[in-house]
């Protein structure tokens, strides 16, 4: 902006201008970073080459016809399917595109994530398949085949668990009546090798109960979040036959565990905790070293790492004085370069800390 270029105080107009990068993700092979950019003319998806930082727009906002209506089609989120395919959310629809922005598959209403995020080469995507964001489907981007997720029980789907073989093994459903304020949750599971669903238990929505996270592919055990008998939410295995919590898988004495990088892994690479400051706790020594290096180089920030710990790593850095910057960290040479900026007109050194 003019005021920023001249070194003058940031104007209210500049501060609220919808211009800048809102999201970025590195490809599984580390060759590209896909970024969602907001401009005064709409949204774009940029593909940035990690070798020389050259970039090109592969998608942009446009208006499309839907029946009798014209509706905006604005890309606002990207997820890598494989190294040559991207899943793109457009608000009311989602598509998979190639590296030139050409559509290769219709996905549904909105992308949830890869069905198995740990499988870099898997083309399976988990998506919402309806406008109410209640129905799920699994889409194979390579074959364009779609499998709607079905179950015989009634209720609004609020949680689900697939095993690492892409089988739906457990669900949590919510039931509420229009004239009754008693909302209940029902937990269900499908035993290994069976198509029959079995109810685990019912609970009031206000009850202190466990939250479904994942499922084993070798037994009927589930992975859940619970704080029963604890001061914080931890990750625990659950026996649906005996209706009881079993082994503590991951926990923190003072902070809730709010996310896992791979819920169905036999050993966890990291967990995210939510205290006064969200922290990613690494159990992998290589990742832990890179996190420490990024935190020392970018102090007083939330630094989120993704990519290859023995190759290129994308560092998303945010803080109270910085709306966001993305750096490319070369883990072999241990060098880091600024790649993208959320709001180029904001100078963090001139912002007042909270």
């Amino acid at each position: 902006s003019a005021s920023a270029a001249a070194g003058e105080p940031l104007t209210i107009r500049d501060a609220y201008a919808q211009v800048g990068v809102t999201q970025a993700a590195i490809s599984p092979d580390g060759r590209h970073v896909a970024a969602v950019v907001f401009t005064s003319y709409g949204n774009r998806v940029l593909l940035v080459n990690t070798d020389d930082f050259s970039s090109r727009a592969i998608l942009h906002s446009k208006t499309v016809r839907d029946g009798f209506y014209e509706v905006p089609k604005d890309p606002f989120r990207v997820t890598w399917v494989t190294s040559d395919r991207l899943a793109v959310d457009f608000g009311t629809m989602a598509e998979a595109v190639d590296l030139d922005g050409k559509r290769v598959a219709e996905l549904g209403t909105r992308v949830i994530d890869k069905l198995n995020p740990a499988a870099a080469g898997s083309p399976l995507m988990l998506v919402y398949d309806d406008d109410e964001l209640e129905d799920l489907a699994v889409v194979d981007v390579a074959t364009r085949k779609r499998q709607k997720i079905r179950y015989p029980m009634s209720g609004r789907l609020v949680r689900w668990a697939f095993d690492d073989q892409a089988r739906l093994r457990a669900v949590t459903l919510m039931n509420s009546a229009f004239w009754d304020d008693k909302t209940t949750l029902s937990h269900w599971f499908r035993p290994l090798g069976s198509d029959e669903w079995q109810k685990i238990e019912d609970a009031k929505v206000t009850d202190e109960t466990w939250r479904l996270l994942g499922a084993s592919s070798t037994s009927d055990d589930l992975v859940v979040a619970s704080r029963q008998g604890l001061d914080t939410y931890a990750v625990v295995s659950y026996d649906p036959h005996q209706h009881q919590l079993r082994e503590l898988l991951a926990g923190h004495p003072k902070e809730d565990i709010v996310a896992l990088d791979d819920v169905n892994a036999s050993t966890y690479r990291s967990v995210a905790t939510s205290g006064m400051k969200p922290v990613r706790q690494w159990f992998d020594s290589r990742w832990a070293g890179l996190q420490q290096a990024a935190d020392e180089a970018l102090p007083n920030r939330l630094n989120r790492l993704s990519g290859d710990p023995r190759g290129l790593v994308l560092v998303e850095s945010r803080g109270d004085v910085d709306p966001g910057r993305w750096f490319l960290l070369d883990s072999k040479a241990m060098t880091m370069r600024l790649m993208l900026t959320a709001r180029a007109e904001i100078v963090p050194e001139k912002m007042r800390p909270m």
Side-chain angles (χ1 to χ4, degrees), residues 136 153 157-163 167-173 185-190 197 200-201 209-216 220-226 233-240 245 258 260 263-264:
L136 303 184
M153 305 81 71
L157 183 66
V158 292
R159 291 193 176 275
W160 54 85
F162 291 83
D163 62 22
R167 297 173 295 206
L168 181 65
R169 298 292 308 284
V171 296
T172 297
L173 304 176
L185 299 174
S186 61
H187 302 290
W188 299 76
F189 85 106
R190 188 160 52 175
W197 287 92
I200 303 172
E201 64 181 26
T209 185
W210 46 268
R211 288 198 318 267
L212 181 62
L213 296 177
S216 170
D220 289 341
D221 282 359
L222 305 177
V223 180
V224 304
S226 174
Y233 274 102
V235 181
V236 187
S237 62
Y238 181 85
D239 185 335
L245 300 170
V258 294
L260 301 166
V263 70
N264 290 328

Side-chain angles (χ1 to χ4, degrees), residues 18-207:
Q18 293 294 312
V19 178
V21 177
T22 60
Q23 186 226 346
I26 191 167
S27 62
D29 63 7
R31 296 180 60 187
H32 299 97
V33 168
V36 178
V37 180
F38 276 44
T39 75
S40 12
Y41 303 103
N43 309 345
R44 291 179 293 164
V45 174
L46 288 184
L47 200 64
V48 186
N49 190 311
T50 56
D51 285 338
D52 56 9
F53 287 13
S54 59
S55 65
R56 57 189 175 91
I58 62 171
L59 290 170
H60 58 84
S61 293
K62 59 182 179 180
T63 301
V64 297
R65 182 167 290 280
D66 183 9
F68 294 103
Y69 304 97
E70 289 189 344
V71 296
K73 188 177 180 181
D74 300 318
F76 75 91
R77 189 169 71 106
V78 294
T79 305
W80 286 98
V81 182
T82 57
S83 293
D84 60 354
R85 294 289 185 269
L86 272 169
V88 184
D89 279 306
F90 293 97
T92 58
M93 64 191 80
E95 299 173 352
V97 302
D98 62 17
L99 298 188
D100 291 320
K102 180 182 177 181
R103 183 176 64 189
V104 295
E106 293 183 356
L107 297 181
T109 305
R110 184 171 299 178
V111 173
I112 298 172
D113 202 350
K114 288 187 61 124
L115 185 61
N116 184 358
S122 172
L124 301 181
M125 299 299 294
L126 183 63
V127 303
Y128 285 116
D129 206 32
D130 66 319
D131 293 337
E132 289 74 30
L133 304 183
E134 294 181 0
D135 297 338
L136 303 184
V138 175
V139 180
D140 186 325
V141 172
T143 64
R144 301 184 185 181
K145 290 183 178 179
R146 174 186 306 272
Q147 178 187 356
K148 291 183 177 292
I149 303 302
R150 303 184 186 280
Y151 44 87
M153 305 81 71
S154 62
R156 180 174 178 267
L157 183 66
V158 292
R159 291 193 176 275
W160 54 85
F162 291 83
D163 62 22
D164 60 11
Q165 300 301 310
R167 297 173 295 206
L168 181 65
R169 298 292 308 284
V171 296
T172 297
L173 304 176
M174 179 183 292
N175 290 277
S176 58
F178 184 81
W179 299 110
D180 192 344
D181 61 357
K182 295 179 181 179
T183 300
T184 60
L185 299 174
S186 61
H187 302 290
W188 299 76
F189 85 106
R190 188 160 52 175
L192 195 64
S194 173
D195 291 329
E196 297 296 323
W197 287 92
Q198 298 182 20
K199 180 181 283 190
I200 303 172
E201 64 181 26
D202 290 316
K204 294 180 181 178
V205 74
T206 54
D207 286 347

Side-chain angles (χ1 to χ4, degrees), residues 327-346:
F327 298 84
L328 192 66
L329 169 62
D330 185 331
S331 67
K332 295 179 180 178
M334 287 308 292
T335 57
M336 190 163 64
R337 295 182 292 163
L338 177 63
M339 172 178 273
L340 299 162
T341 303
R343 298 289 293 273
E345 70 273 19
I346 292 179

Side-chain angles (χ1 to χ4, degrees), residues 223-264:
V223 180
V224 304
S226 174
R227 63 179 182 186
Q228 294 180 29
L230 303 168
D231 293 328
T232 58
Y233 274 102
V235 181
V236 187
S237 62
Y238 181 85
D239 185 335
H241 297 286
Q242 300 297 322
H243 306 277
Q244 60 184 234
L245 300 170
R246 297 181 60 192
E247 181 185 0
L248 178 67
L249 303 177
H252 192 283
K254 297 181 180 180
E255 299 178 1
D256 292 337
I257 292 181
V258 294
L260 301 166
D261 53 5
D262 182 5
V263 70
N264 290 328

Side-chain angles (χ1 to χ4, degrees), residues 234-308:
V235 181
V236 187
S237 62
Y238 181 85
D239 185 335
H241 297 286
Q242 300 297 322
H243 306 277
Q244 60 184 234
L245 300 170
R246 297 181 60 192
E247 181 185 0
L248 178 67
L249 303 177
H252 192 283
K254 297 181 180 180
E255 299 178 1
D256 292 337
I257 292 181
V258 294
L260 301 166
D261 53 5
D262 182 5
V263 70
N264 290 328
S266 56
T267 58
Y268 298 135
R269 188 177 60 180
S270 74
V271 298
T273 59
S274 179
M276 293 296 292
K277 176 182 178 181
V279 176
R280 194 168 188 180
Q281 311 279 355
W282 290 100
F283 306 125
D284 181 289
S285 59
R286 178 72 177 178
W287 274 114
L290 293 174
Q291 184 74 61
Q292 181 179 355
D295 290 344
E296 290 175 355
L298 302 165
N300 304 316
R301 302 288 195 276
L302 299 178
N303 300 311
R304 181 174 177 269
L305 277 57
S306 59
D308 180 359

